[in-house]
Amino acid sequence: VEVLGSFAAVRRWGESLQGSFGLVPTMGYLHEGHISLLEGARAGCDAVVMSLFVNPLQFDDPTDLSRYPRDPDRDLELAERAGVNVVFAPGVAEMYATDPIFRVSPGRMAASMEGARRPGHFEGVALAVTKLLAGIRPDRAYFGKKDAQQLAIVQRLATDLSLPVDIVAMPTVREADGLALGSRNVFLGAAARSRARSLSRGLFMAADSVAAGERGGAVLEAHAGTPAGADDRVELEYVELAAQEDVGRLEELDRPAFLAIAATIDGVRLIDNVSFEWKAGVPVPDRGVRLDRISALYSTEED
Ligand code: PAF
């Protein structure tokens, strides 16, 4: 796989290409969730660029930034195996050559849920994503539904700023017991790991009740929060039914939406959600896909 460090070099590569290319933005430490984005991009485009940049602007907490897991050699190897053509791995100086004066504001879309708990987080995401899309000019860009609020913000960013790119949403990848894959899962000890199932269990219960006809926002939020709320070692932060178009809280599930949950277990912060697409006038839950094996996150050994 070719590793490039500047926007200009990636653009030259893109311009020399016959056909379309997809961008998969990442912060590295790849797991099966990222691999599914790369596979989506490979299936939907002629070539694939993966960006690898731990974006300092989206970490409100310096400790979180410093302990964010990193393993670039392994990332490059996984990218190669997943058929990535180019890895764009800019330094901070290339991404933020000058301390930017212009910003990209997600406005009220950053006021709730993750945005309310992580001040500046989505401003940092929006700036990095805008720069990646504008600087690389992919035909399509792939984002995971696991980060539901981020996905909604990126979709709206592309629409509101008329960016000539298709934003493609890919299903959440889950461990075999339902826990959504995330790089921070590696920090969970055995007891916390088993408690962490309460998040997806609650979301699936809520999705079942939607399938049975329930539409009330408060009822769905209560279902989703029940297993986590019943465990006093799980610090539940929020459960919220939010509209896909602007992440406004919904009293009724009457349009495309996601039901999101966040909790901290033994100091590890986890988020998850189930999204609802609209088909033939009814909401259809997307519970994501499950691995039938242990995630590669837990092993740096090659198989
Ligand atoms: O989801 C992520 O990994 C990051 O937020 C992203 C989209 C790469 C922006 O830095």
Side-chain angles (χ1 to χ4, degrees), residues 46-65:
D46 298 311
V48 180
V49 176
M50 179 182 98
S51 64
L52 179 52
F53 179 67
V54 181
N55 176 28
L57 293 192
Q58 69 187 75
F59 289 84
D60 48 304
D61 172 2
T63 321
D64 194 27
L65 173 61

Side-chain angles (χ1 to χ4, degrees), residues 25-27 53 55 58 125 128-129 143 147 150:
T26 81
M27 299 205 298
F53 179 67
N55 176 28
Q58 69 187 75
V125 170
V129 170
F143 293 85
D147 292 302
Q150 166 172 286

Side-chain angles (χ1 to χ4, degrees), residues 4 6-17:
L4 299 174
S6 73
F7 282 110
V10 182
R11 273 201 306 277
R12 273 196 302 277
W13 168 86
E15 282 157 14
S16 71
L17 193 76

Side-chain angles (χ1 to χ4, degrees), residues 1 3 11-12 26 62 65 74 114 132 146 196 213 236 254 260:
V1 62
V3 181
R11 273 201 306 277
R12 273 196 302 277
T26 81
L65 173 61
R74 180 168 165 275
E114 291 306 288
L132 290 169
K146 157 90 189 309
L236 190 56
D254 58 1

Side-chain angles (χ1 to χ4, degrees), residues 283-296:
V284 179
D286 180 350
R287 299 164 204 246
V289 296
R290 285 199 201 204
L291 293 177
D292 54 8
R293 56 186 187 280
I294 295 201
S295 166

